[in-house]
Amino acid sequence: MTGSAVRRHAFRRPSRRGRPRWARPLPAAAAAVAAASAAVTLALAAAPSGARPVTPSGGTVHGTVTGAGQPLRGVPVRLWAGSREGSRELGRARTDAAGAFRIRYAPPAGGVLYVEATSGRRLRLRAVVGVGSGGAVRPRTLDRVTVDELTTVAATYALAQFDSGRQVAGPAPGLENAAATSFNLADPTTGRAGRVVTDAANGARNETLATLGTLADLVSACATDGPRCARLLRLATPRGGPAPTDTVQALLALAHHPTLSTAGLYALARTTGDHTPALTAPPESWLLALRYTDTDLYAPGRIAFDARGNAWATNNWLPGTRTASRYVSVLDPTGRPVLGSPLSGGGMNGGAWGIAVDHGGAVWAPSYGTDAMTKYSATGTPLSPPTGWANGGFVRPQGVAVDQRGNLWIANSFGLSGKPGLGSIVVYPHGDPAKAFTLPHSGLNHPFGLQIDARGRAWITNSQMDFGQLLDSRRAGTPGKLGGSVTVIGPDFTTRATINSSSFQGPLGLALDSHGNAWVPSYFNSTITELRPDGTVAGVHRLPRTVFPWSIAVDGSDRVWVAGFGNASVSLLCGENVTACPPGAATGTVLSPARGFHHKAIQHLTAVQIDPSGNVWLANNWSALLPPTGGVGLVQLIGAAVPVCTPLTPQPVRPTATAENPCPQQPTPDPSAGRAPDTTSPHRYTVRPGDTLGSIAATHGTTWAHLYRTNTDTIGADPDRIRPGQVLGLD
């Protein structure tokens, strides 16, 4: 990929303006001061809404402001606090001849702190200096800061989904988690590149550090308010959108529209050249991606977020092997392992493609090595027995979901190869394995993905084909048998529909949007099928390239993110809410490059999910296809999506700062939810040996044809082949 190349020289090209701050070695004494400053923590505990400080005492922030490597003298600097109530100024100052400033302030009740400096009409610089206690990250407040181009890029991208263009505000935990992520990109005490973007998993291994430098160069174009700055603002104007008026708004446009003017902006950045490393060719996009690694985080399969925004991931294999992993990984929103991660015990032995958080904060994950379910407390303690829970007769369990009543639904897939027609859904009522029951059904055919909608209905993908036979047939030169379907089961545990479409060619993952539409990627034909809540096909959207889509996620504006396994990419489609897409886009319009968003941090993906800060997380499941080799780490696309409430149950909801609860509850499902099927009800009949549809109909005063029409999904194509144990509706 041409855009990932970086300049080979270690520092910027010679300039009369001197070396950039992030490339200069920090004196030992200053480094000690910076380290001590970074360790200063002020607790920003929750306080009553609207509480305001009475006197400006209790906190002081010192700092310097630089532009294009030089101190900016006489520029106004303001300290802001952002929270769910909005953004308010805490104090202001003006820099001296050395670009230094000092602001005294009263620490706010919560949220985040950030400093802004403005020079002229168009240069606006920014740095995050404080993170409150509302998220999953450690609260801290800095008393010394450097405000420059790098900190501006870091803060603007990290807070992209909470920035109106003028002020930063939003609900916890997303706002606090987002602010903390900015430190991964830039260290605000030194103004240099951050710890994570320069570490062994990123640094020279991918293009994010070079992209960061190029974006900083674009900000430098406005260090003097001249033609280059005007060109930046013109090139950063989204199609049909307003032109940015300063550097922060220009960066916001690139964070929200990452394919905007890549060639023109790259050429402009080369005319400043204040930062290294930087790109040596136009990038595919302006996305900033960070890869997070940890001990035993290897071949991750599926991701789920808890209420605080921590990422939980199953792992298929042990590092460097194809041996089943005994670990579940937990990372905080900045990629740091937490809760004792990696977690083991509880029967985990090969995490499958499924993980879900229940209403009590406990996390459920299937184990394909033990054919069992494992459970961990919200703090990481194993709650399942050493061999896991096998209640339900599992054979390769996969997708997992929790409904509104706390029932745990599990797709018992029987693997991706084997006899067609196998599979079932296992339910743990209110999460109780001792009360497990199974929902057999003729429409279930190697069920894989599973989601619950706002009405409490379970939507289940049936991968259907024998993957092993399919591959063998392709090697022999025959096309193989393709297909698939989606089954919908109601909150009363009766099947409502089995949906068939010629577009289904190996459906695996599935996601629902805020309107209740189901989006189903088909692995073998690279299409995304959109199903209306009534099960009819709303559209079939073909991706421009064959990416072998595995998984899918919908963000808070109903845009659709698709994880490509074969093509190692992530694609973005306009969803049902076309107002969140560029002018002229329709539902299903592809908003990413033709081959998807590629990045050296991204490997072969099996999962994509959105967190409460608007970061897109990806699971690097494989790093090579032949021979199959496990992938390394989770990838975070910073600030790229509209946030969603977590845990994701049942449908994506955008957090709001205006309601008392930023994540309101979904509509209550049918009252029958939470109970096993009542086979003794006068409206239900359990088939016994020797029964026929005719004999059952005669006994209950109806016709065999009516019984068949009512129970086609349960009986199947042949009305003469009913099986003992099937539960038929008599209405």
Side-chain angles (χ1 to χ4, degrees):
M1 180 167 52
T2 59
S4 64
V6 300
R7 299 175 188 150
R8 298 297 182 188
H9 53 281
F11 302 101
R12 71 175 180 89
R13 63 175 68 97
S15 168
R16 61 182 177 85
R17 289 173 291 191
R19 293 162 68 186
R21 180 172 297 274
W22 74 315
R24 293 202 298 267
L26 191 68
V33 171
S37 299
V40 174
T41 301
L42 299 179
L44 301 178
S49 173
R52 299 179 64 88
V54 177
T55 58
S57 61
T60 303
V61 59
H62 306 260
T64 57
V65 181
T66 66
Q70 294 295 305
L72 298 181
R73 63 186 333 185
V75 301
V77 182
R78 296 182 178 185
L79 176 65
W80 294 88
S83 68
R84 62 175 297 173
E85 283 81 21
S87 185
R88 62 190 178 94
E89 184 180 330
L90 298 182
R92 64 175 64 186
R94 189 172 291 272
T95 60
D96 62 17
F101 68 90
R102 180 174 181 265
I103 298 175
R104 294 187 65 196
Y105 67 98
V112 301
L113 297 179
Y114 60 101
V115 170
E116 283 195 340
T118 55
S119 177
R121 295 180 300 121
R122 297 169 173 173
L123 180 64
R124 181 155 55 121
L125 303 174
R126 175 185 285 176
V128 173
V129 296
V131 179
S133 59
V137 293
R138 176 175 62 90
R140 60 171 170 163
T141 303
L142 308 178
D143 64 4
R144 185 167 297 276
V145 62
T146 298
V147 187
D148 63 10
E149 293 93 338
L150 280 175
T151 63
T152 302
V153 175
T156 304
Y157 262 73
L159 294 166
Q161 300 300 328
F162 301 91
D163 194 336
S164 66
R166 281 298 174 190
Q167 296 183 331
V168 172
L175 178 64
E176 290 81 358
N177 293 344
T181 303
S182 72
F183 300 147
N184 288 351
L185 295 172
D187 181 349
T189 61
T190 65
R192 298 176 176 179
R195 173 186 59 84
V196 175
V197 75
T198 56
D199 69 12
N202 295 283
R205 288 184 175 271
N206 62 56
E207 58 268 39
T208 294
L209 181 59
T211 305
L212 183 68
T214 299
L215 290 169
D217 280 341
L218 290 174
V219 178
S220 295
C222 289
T224 57
D225 195 356
R228 288 191 305 183
C229 186
R231 186 182 177 197
L232 165 65
L233 302 183
R234 184 174 65 254
L235 290 172
T237 300
R239 181 164 54 92
T245 60
D246 59 37
T247 49
V248 166
Q249 291 184 6
L251 289 173
L252 273 177
L254 301 185
H256 293 155
H257 307 276
T259 59
L260 188 62
S261 303
T262 53
L265 288 170
Y266 166 76
L268 174 61
R270 286 182 66 86
T271 67
T272 64
D274 289 305
H275 300 87
T276 59
L279 299 171
T280 59
E284 226 178 35
S285 77
W286 297 112
L287 286 175
L288 294 181
L290 293 175
R291 186 173 63 168
Y292 300 132
T293 59
D294 185 30
T295 304
D296 294 309
L297 202 174
Y298 185 76
R302 184 75 164 136
I303 308 167
F305 295 99
D306 62 26
R308 293 171 61 82
N310 293 312
W312 295 66
T314 54
N315 294 292
N316 294 166
W317 300 332
L318 291 174
T321 74
R322 294 175 65 181
T323 302
S325 174
R326 302 183 298 276
Y327 301 102
V328 170
S329 297
V330 190
L331 304 183
D332 78 4
T334 67
R336 295 173 58 253
V338 291
L339 306 181
S341 178
L343 309 180
S344 62
M348 175 51 65
N349 186 31
W353 192 86
I355 190 165
V357 183
D358 68 20
H359 300 329
V363 177
W364 295 81
S367 167
Y368 68 78
T370 53
D371 286 329
M373 290 298 299
T374 63
K375 182 181 181 182
Y376 299 90
S377 73
T379 57
T381 302
L383 300 178
S384 44
T387 56
W389 283 304
N391 309 52
F394 294 118
V395 180
R396 299 295 188 265
Q398 294 286 359
V400 181
V402 179
D403 69 17
Q404 292 91 331
R405 297 296 181 87
N407 302 313
L408 183 72
W409 298 65
I410 306 142
N412 192 19
S413 78
F414 279 74
L416 292 178
S417 62
K419 182 180 178 182
L422 294 174
S424 64
I425 298 298
V426 176
V427 179
Y428 286 0
H430 303 293
D432 186 351
K435 298 179 180 179
F437 59 86
T438 301
L439 301 175
H441 182 262
S442 61
L444 293 173
N445 194 332
H446 297 277
F448 194 85
L450 195 156
Q451 284 281 14
I452 307 294
D453 70 12
R455 295 162 59 183
R457 301 179 303 176
W459 293 71
I460 303 143
T461 58
N462 296 294
S463 60
Q464 185 161 316
M465 83 285 294
D466 180 333
F467 273 46
Q469 290 180 2
L470 174 65
L471 294 176
D472 288 342
S473 67
R474 289 191 167 186
R475 292 188 190 103
T478 57
K481 182 180 179 181
L482 304 176
S485 61
V486 172
T487 297
V488 182
I489 298 178
D492 59 353
F493 308 111
T494 62
T495 299
R496 301 295 174 86
T498 293
I499 305 162
N500 294 283
S501 171
S502 60
S503 62
F504 294 149
Q505 302 291 312
L508 297 173
L510 172 145
L512 300 163
D513 66 21
S514 66
H515 302 278
N517 302 302
W519 295 77
V520 186
S522 288
Y523 184 84
F524 285 105
N525 64 3
S526 292
T527 63
I528 310 298
T529 303
E530 180 189 1
L531 303 175
R532 298 184 183 94
D534 64 2
T536 58
V537 175
V540 177
H541 313 295
R542 184 172 297 278
L543 298 173
R545 299 287 178 86
T546 300
V547 302
F548 297 98
W550 187 293
S551 183
I552 202 163
V554 178
D555 70 16
S557 65
D558 281 329
R559 296 185 305 170
V560 179
W561 296 80
V562 183
F565 180 81
N567 190 249
S569 65
V570 59
S571 300
L572 175 62
L573 280 66
C574 182
E576 196 68 23
N577 178 19
V578 296
T579 62
C581 306
T587 299
T589 297
V590 177
L591 306 179
S592 50
R595 63 182 191 137
F597 289 117
H598 276 251
H599 197 278
K600 285 187 177 180
I602 297 175
Q603 298 173 338
H604 300 282
L605 304 174
T606 53
V608 54
Q609 197 52 272
I610 317 298
D611 73 11
S613 298
N615 302 309
V616 180
W617 290 68
L618 309 168
N620 281 342
N621 189 246
W622 284 14
S623 61
L625 299 178
L626 292 174
T629 307
V632 180
L634 301 179
V635 176
Q636 183 188 54
L637 308 182
I638 296 176
V642 177
V644 298
C645 293
T646 58
L648 185 61
T649 301
Q651 293 177 188
V653 176
R654 182 175 184 174
T656 174
T658 57
E660 184 64 27
N661 178 3
C663 291
Q665 294 294 317
Q666 292 293 300
T668 303
D670 295 347
S672 58
R675 298 193 297 270
D678 182 5
T679 59
T680 64
S681 166
H683 303 289
R684 300 280 187 272
Y685 180 82
T686 302
V687 177
R688 302 169 183 172
D691 279 341
T692 66
L693 278 186
S695 65
I696 298 171
T699 302
H700 293 87
T702 185
T703 67
W704 75 266
H706 174 76
L707 276 182
Y708 181 62
R709 285 195 303 270
T710 303
N711 298 279
T712 300
D713 287 332
T714 300
I715 296 170
D718 188 350
D720 292 327
R721 300 188 65 179
I722 60 174
R723 300 190 301 275
Q726 289 179 322
V727 178
L728 306 182
L730 301 177
D731 294 336

